[in-house]
Amino acid sequence: MPTTTPLVWEATIALIVGLLAFDYFFHVRKAHAPGLREAAVWSALYVGIALLFGVAVWTWGGADMGAEYFSGYITEKALSIDNVFVFLVIMSSFRVPREDQQKVLLFGITFALIARTVFILLGAALIERFSWVFYLFGLALLVTAGNLLAPDGHDGDRPNVVVRLVRRVFHASPHYDGDRLFTTWQGKRALTPMLLVMLAIGGTDILFAFDSIPAIFGLTQNVFIVFTATAFSLLGLRQLYFLVGGLLERLVYLSIGLAAVLGFIGIKLVLHALHENNLPFINDGEPVPVIEISTWTSLVVIVAILLVTVVASLTSPKGKAKVAVSALRAKVADYLSLPADAAPAVRRAVFADLRGAQARVDALEPRFKAMVKRPDVLQHDLRCAHEAHAEATATPPQPSDLGLPPPADDGDDRHAPTA
């Protein structure tokens, strides 16, 4: 395997930083919500750049190195899609105006890249000094795989501990002031929800790094491949967010698929640790003769698991129900985030979209309505949107009851499937 020279490292880092800078100066600096065509074009461009980089690695480093890159990129891309799912929940819970979401996403991607780089360097240093770290990485991935199968694996709509602490210690405004991080509220300088949502996403990124870095080290210990596969999987997430949006919730078996991928890599890591074993209490400190899973086998297994996950999800009626509920939550959030001086035509158009989404949820079968997570919150927000529209347009309020079942008495719906 060829040595990665400083020049290759410098050129690669320059390319990644350049892509991030291009994103900021040409897309995010001016607040706007990308359309479907814009998101599709730029998503395809970023995936294309990642694939071309993989071809260059294959050509320069050989087939094995190329397979390691593509295995890592596909795995990290799948995990980054899980990031987007949680970003959607956080954006919805903070009711971030759609035109300002790009800046939040770019911050999240940049912070995720920095956090993962730190974890990559730490992981590489640990692996170089202590081969038994593979046991820890493998067990961590197996635990993560088990957690992904828990019904409440995506509870991102509860503000994390960082946000709760900041709100308790600092003066925070409940209102956005464009994309500003600070504003004046009640006569004092205050934090805006824009800063709080960035903190929430930053905290989430750190948690995701604990999953993604052991996963890719289970596929390759080449730091250059680990870094580039991780970086290129994160680039383009902003465009992917606007391309697929609520359709991510259509992937109802995504957690199961990711659990299978992480479980497989966890087993691969444990087998590798046994093969390199030097712990005195395991086989008297001698390597254990176990089978090792090759990079090519890993690539085939990962691709097969993700293909089955996508096909099973897209053919599921439950997926269609989740899309309908997700779309309604997004439309309600869009309406409630409208400024008080919004043009009547804009207000009517957004409300018409909301009504269409409401009709689709209202038409769901009772078994799917029973799967809606926190129905009381959704029903309350929908009622608020209807009341706000009636007041703003001086029209009678329209029916807003979705016929959703009440939440469990203890307020804990973690053991029920959700939509």
Side-chain angles (χ1 to χ4, degrees):
M1 186 176 292
T3 303
T4 307
T5 64
L7 180 60
V8 172
W9 270 105
E10 291 166 5
T12 302
I13 292 172
L15 172 63
I16 292 168
V17 172
L19 289 172
L20 285 172
F22 178 83
D23 239 5
Y24 176 77
F25 286 106
F26 291 94
H27 291 116
V28 176
R29 201 171 182 183
K30 182 178 180 182
H32 75 287
L36 184 62
R37 184 176 181 277
E38 178 184 341
V41 168
W42 287 105
S43 293
L45 178 63
Y46 276 100
V47 171
I49 291 173
L51 295 179
L52 286 175
F53 187 86
V55 171
V57 169
W58 193 302
T59 303
W60 166 69
D64 287 341
M65 193 171 177
E68 288 180 355
Y69 171 83
F70 283 112
S71 297
Y73 174 74
I74 292 170
T75 300
E76 292 297 307
K77 197 68 175 177
L79 290 171
S80 69
I81 289 175
D82 204 40
N83 286 36
V84 172
F85 181 95
V86 177
F87 287 173
L88 279 165
V89 177
I90 292 174
M91 295 281 198
S92 176
S93 65
F94 279 91
R95 293 177 181 169
V96 182
R98 192 165 177 79
E99 63 273 12
D100 294 324
Q101 291 180 3
Q102 290 203 88
K103 184 166 286 188
V104 176
L105 288 167
L106 187 59
F107 166 82
I109 291 166
T110 305
F111 188 88
L113 186 55
I114 294 171
R116 280 162 172 73
T117 300
V118 172
F119 277 93
I120 288 168
L121 295 176
L122 289 174
L126 288 172
I127 289 171
E128 187 175 351
R129 296 189 62 185
F130 311 107
S131 62
W132 50 261
V133 168
F134 287 113
Y135 284 115
L136 297 182
F137 281 2
L139 291 175
L141 289 184
L142 291 173
V143 170
T144 301
N147 289 337
L148 281 173
L149 297 176
D152 198 33
H154 291 297
D155 200 16
D157 52 345
R158 294 180 183 174
N160 63 28
V161 64
V162 176
V163 174
R164 291 199 301 270
L165 181 63
V166 169
R167 277 180 168 158
R168 186 170 298 176
V169 175
F170 297 97
H171 186 55
S173 165
H175 308 294
Y176 285 93
D177 186 7
D179 59 3
R180 295 182 179 87
L181 304 182
F182 299 91
T183 188
T184 301
W185 185 62
Q186 294 181 337
K188 300 184 200 175
R189 188 166 177 78
L191 312 179
T192 68
M194 182 63 69
L195 179 58
L196 296 179
V197 72
M198 286 184 174
L199 289 174
I201 285 182
T204 303
D205 283 332
I206 293 176
L207 294 178
F208 274 113
F210 281 104
D211 301 338
S212 67
I213 299 309
I216 194 166
F217 270 120
L219 298 170
T220 176
Q221 285 81 60
N222 186 316
V223 177
F224 180 75
I225 297 299
V226 171
F227 173 74
T228 53
T230 301
F232 282 108
S233 72
L234 290 171
L235 293 173
L237 272 192
R238 178 184 64 79
Q239 294 83 357
L240 183 66
Y241 174 94
F242 289 100
L243 176 63
V244 296
L247 291 179
L248 279 178
E249 290 206 351
R250 180 71 181 271
L251 299 177
V252 291
Y253 300 120
L254 177 62
S255 292
I256 297 175
L258 290 178
V261 169
L262 294 182
F264 168 76
I265 298 175
I267 293 171
K268 182 178 187 292
L269 274 170
V270 172
L271 291 174
H272 180 73
L274 290 170
H275 190 267
E276 302 288 330
N277 178 65
N278 57 12
L279 294 178
F281 53 86
I282 298 178
N283 199 36
D284 295 326
E286 296 297 321
V288 181
V290 294
I291 187 173
E292 284 235 68
I293 301 173
S294 70
T295 301
W296 286 98
T297 301
S298 299
L299 178 59
V300 172
V301 170
I302 291 167
V303 170
I305 290 173
L306 294 178
L307 281 176
V308 171
T309 299
V310 172
V311 172
S313 295
L314 294 180
T315 56
S316 167
K318 179 183 173 183
K320 297 177 182 178
K322 287 177 72 72
V323 171
V325 174
S326 175
L328 177 58
R329 292 188 194 275
K331 298 302 180 185
V332 170
D334 286 347
Y335 190 89
L336 292 176
S337 66
L338 287 175
D341 59 350
V346 172
R347 189 174 291 278
R348 284 194 296 270
V350 175
F351 189 73
D353 289 342
L354 183 154
R355 289 285 292 169
Q358 178 183 339
R360 287 188 286 275
V361 172
D362 199 36
L364 292 176
E365 297 177 30
R367 63 191 178 107
F368 292 127
K369 288 185 178 181
M371 293 159 50
V372 175
K373 186 177 183 180
R374 294 185 177 83
D376 52 336
V377 175
L378 175 58
Q379 188 65 71
H380 173 268
D381 289 347
L382 180 61
R383 189 177 300 113
C384 289
H386 275 265
E387 291 172 356
H389 185 73
E391 182 179 349
T393 59
T395 57
Q398 300 185 40
S400 61
D401 184 25
L402 292 168
L404 300 175
D409 292 339
D410 60 359
D412 188 355
D413 56 356
R414 287 179 296 178
H415 303 291
T418 60

